[in-house]
């Protein structure tokens, strides 16, 4: 297990910028690494490694995702009871225990929650790797 979720994100708004970041960091732009990045940039929603692999070697996809995460280009999050999801964007998440829905939240929208947690128990909370879990409005109203 890596602590990559502590690595500051690298801003790469498009595929070419991400490839340039790899080169500047001294990493090869292999065909499999390029395919992973192309898949992530083609669909910016969080997805599983299997979805990103799309029939290619999943072990290679996981290795590349680990490398990209260690650099700060990719993030992964665990939403609910399923596999980890990978994304390029730096969001925080809320997830519904009732229906499994999730929402990506701009980090500044949770600043008050983080401040309350810090004041109450001294922790500096992040919701990038694990979401805030609860019930969405619909599931709360329709138990």
């Amino acid at each position: 297990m890596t602590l990559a979720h502590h690595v500051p994100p690298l801003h790469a708004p498009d595929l070419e910028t991400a490839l340039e970041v790899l080169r500047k960091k001294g990493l090869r732009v292999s065909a499999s690494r390029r395919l992973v990045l192309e898949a992530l940039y083609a669909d910016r929603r969080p997805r599983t490694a299997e979805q990103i692999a799309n029939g290619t070697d999943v072990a290679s996809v996981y290795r590349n995702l680990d490398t990209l995460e260690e650099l700060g280009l990719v993030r992964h999050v665990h939403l609910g009871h399923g596999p980890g999801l990978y994304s390029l964007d730096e969001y925080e998440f809320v997830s519904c225990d009732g229906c499994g829905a999730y929402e990506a939240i701009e980090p500044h929208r949770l600043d008050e929650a983080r401040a309350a947690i810090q004041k109450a128990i001294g922790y500096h909370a992040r919701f990038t790797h694990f979401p805030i879990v609860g019930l969405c409005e619909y599931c709360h109203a329709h138990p």
Side-chain angles (χ1 to χ4, degrees):
M1 183 176 121
T2 67
L3 298 177
H5 53 279
H6 295 290
V7 174
L10 291 176
H11 183 64
D14 55 45
L15 177 61
E16 289 308 313
T17 304
L19 296 174
E20 186 60 29
V21 166
L22 292 175
R23 290 182 191 104
K24 284 183 179 177
K25 296 286 185 177
L27 295 172
R28 283 184 345 111
V29 179
S30 64
S32 59
R33 193 165 286 154
R34 179 184 277 276
L35 286 173
V36 168
L37 284 169
E38 286 174 351
L40 288 166
Y41 278 98
D43 183 353
R44 303 287 294 230
R45 294 175 300 154
R47 293 180 296 145
T48 66
E50 288 76 11
Q51 291 168 326
I52 293 166
N54 194 24
T56 63
D57 180 34
V58 177
S60 174
V61 169
Y62 273 113
R63 284 190 301 275
N64 281 296
L65 287 168
D66 283 345
T67 298
L68 296 170
E69 188 174 13
E70 288 171 6
L71 289 174
L73 284 172
V74 171
R75 296 284 189 219
H76 83 271
V77 62
H78 296 275
L79 301 173
H81 301 287
L85 301 176
Y86 294 84
S87 173
L88 295 165
D89 300 311
E90 178 70 10
Y91 289 112
E92 295 187 311
F93 294 88
V94 293
S95 177
C96 179
D97 259 346
C99 66
Y102 67 88
E103 185 178 348
I105 306 290
E106 300 247 348
H108 74 273
R109 291 181 56 199
L110 297 173
D111 286 347
E112 288 182 32
R114 267 191 295 283
I117 291 167
Q118 183 181 357
K119 182 177 180 183
I121 59 175
Y123 275 73
H124 298 262
R126 289 185 316 270
F127 308 107
T128 52
H129 190 75
F130 294 105
I132 296 173
V133 179
L135 294 175
C136 67
E137 287 185 40
Y138 181 85
C139 290
H140 180 72
H142 302 91

